[in-house]
Amino acid sequence: MRYFIGNWKMFGIPKSINILRKINSFYSKDKNRKKYRVIMTPPYTLIESYAKYFKNKKIFIGSQNCYQKDQFSSNTAGVSPYMLRSVGAKYTLIGHSDNRGEGDSDLMLKNKVRFALKNNLKVVFCIGENKIEKKNNKTLIVLKKQLTKVLERKFNKNNIIVAYEPIWSIGTGKIPTAIELSTTILHIKNVLKNIFKESPAVLYGGSVDGGTVEIFKKIREIDGFLIGGASKSSKKFIDIIKNYYR
Ligand code: PGA
């Protein structure tokens, strides 16, 4: 199974659902549709209405983040996994570099993963090195640390997906070379095998579009993509899927 996951970040109002309706109608007719799943993560404000609309359709709605507590608590603006699940979210991103940059610690991330899984959300756990770490050849060490500090064997690996997003590649148009990327993805899968015995799916994210996907698709170890900028346009998002299976 391959995954095409869109991350809208701080984008979208109710009528932006038209973007997803177009993606859904492409998906429903695509001869390759059995091979992949489409998941979109709009902002909190749109999850309930979009999840309702797509309830019996093929697009899954997820969240971009969740609070590190289980149900209800006195945290202003907190949104818990329980609350997300109750409005129809099926997935949540956790550990996106935007949120790590705003202070998400490994302990906070561990609690987010734990409570998301407890509330039947599938977790897309994001990891990635920054520019300086890459320059100092620290990529593999950094990624191993990010994985082992948060993920535990007792977590159900069937409900976890890992997304490798080099921070220097997000929104920049810069991408790793094919060799770098296949080495890194294999490394991540080996670390995950040590934690879980079997590796969950590992996605790539960072400047994925209809052009760069031509390079990424040659690396068979990549199980799918986390797509930022290009997920805000139905055409760009569909082009990624079309070019991947071409
Ligand atoms: P990008 O973002 O596709 O715009 O590079 C990816 C992400 O931040 O998830």
Side-chain angles (χ1 to χ4, degrees):
M1 174 65 74
R2 298 292 197 232
Y3 297 89
F4 295 87
I5 306 181
N7 171 13
W8 273 7
K9 308 187 186 183
M10 201 173 82
F11 165 84
I13 54 174
K15 71 175 184 198
S16 316
I17 199 167
N18 290 329
I19 299 168
L20 296 195
R21 289 169 62 175
K22 285 182 196 149
I23 296 171
N24 183 60
S25 76
F26 164 80
Y27 180 87
S28 330
K29 291 180 232 123
D30 186 9
K31 64 178 190 312
N32 292 309
R33 68 182 179 277
K34 296 246 151 53
K35 298 182 191 159
Y36 67 92
R37 177 171 281 195
V38 172
I39 301 151
M40 198 57 78
T41 66
Y44 287 137
T45 45
L46 301 173
I47 291 175
E48 179 169 19
S49 61
Y50 286 18
K52 217 174 254 167
Y53 182 86
F54 287 103
K55 194 167 186 215
N56 298 310
K57 301 189 175 62
K58 298 296 176 202
I59 288 186
F60 292 83
I61 300 298
S63 176
Q64 298 168 16
N65 199 357
C66 64
Y67 200 77
Q68 63 269 21
K69 285 189 183 162
D70 189 3
Q71 297 206 327
F72 299 138
S73 73
S74 56
N75 294 92
T76 304
V79 179
S80 69
Y82 171 75
M83 291 154 77
L84 289 166
R85 180 68 204 197
S86 78
V87 294
K90 296 287 194 302
Y91 288 80
T92 184
L93 308 183
I94 289 177
H96 190 282
S97 59
D98 288 345
N99 307 120
R100 289 179 187 262
E102 286 165 355
D104 272 16
S105 66
D106 289 328
L107 180 62
M108 281 159 70
L109 296 175
K110 193 191 266 292
N111 284 326
K112 289 183 185 205
V113 173
R114 188 153 67 95
F115 291 128
L117 293 173
K118 182 170 173 228
N119 285 283
N120 290 320
L121 290 172
K122 291 184 194 287
V123 167
V124 181
F125 181 60
C126 306
I127 57 171
E129 83 284 6
N130 66 29
K131 205 164 136 185
I132 296 164
E133 290 159 343
K134 177 181 163 53
K135 198 173 143 237
N136 294 333
N137 282 321
K138 292 278 188 289
T139 300
L140 301 185
I141 297 168
V142 168
L143 298 176
K144 185 173 179 184
K145 225 178 187 175
Q146 290 175 337
L147 291 167
T148 53
K149 291 253 177 196
V150 174
L151 300 180
E152 292 182 33
R153 173 160 300 192
K154 66 170 191 249
F155 294 159
N156 182 354
K157 72 145 184 37
N158 297 323
N159 292 331
I160 295 174
I161 294 171
V162 169
Y164 168 55
E165 299 203 300
I167 298 169
W168 51 270
S169 172
I170 294 174
T172 59
K174 295 199 179 96
I175 57 167
T177 65
I179 293 173
E180 272 171 353
L181 193 49
S182 64
T183 310
T184 309
I185 298 277
L186 281 175
H187 171 77
I188 291 168
K189 289 198 168 180
N190 280 330
V191 174
L192 289 167
K193 270 182 210 157
N194 275 329
I195 301 173
F196 295 117
K197 286 208 179 107
E198 236 179 288
S199 174
V202 178
L203 319 184
Y204 171 78
S207 297
V208 178
D209 60 27
T212 55
V213 78
E214 300 281 2
I215 298 164
F216 300 136
K217 75 178 183 186
K218 296 188 187 123
I219 305 163
R220 303 308 296 171
E221 293 83 14
I222 298 178
D223 300 302
F225 302 98
L226 181 54
I227 302 154
S231 70
K232 295 183 277 186
S233 142
S234 54
K235 184 185 178 306
K236 286 185 185 168
F237 193 82
I238 292 166
D239 276 351
I240 293 170
I241 300 173
K242 277 190 187 157
N243 292 350
Y244 185 81
Y245 287 108
R246 197 155 52 94

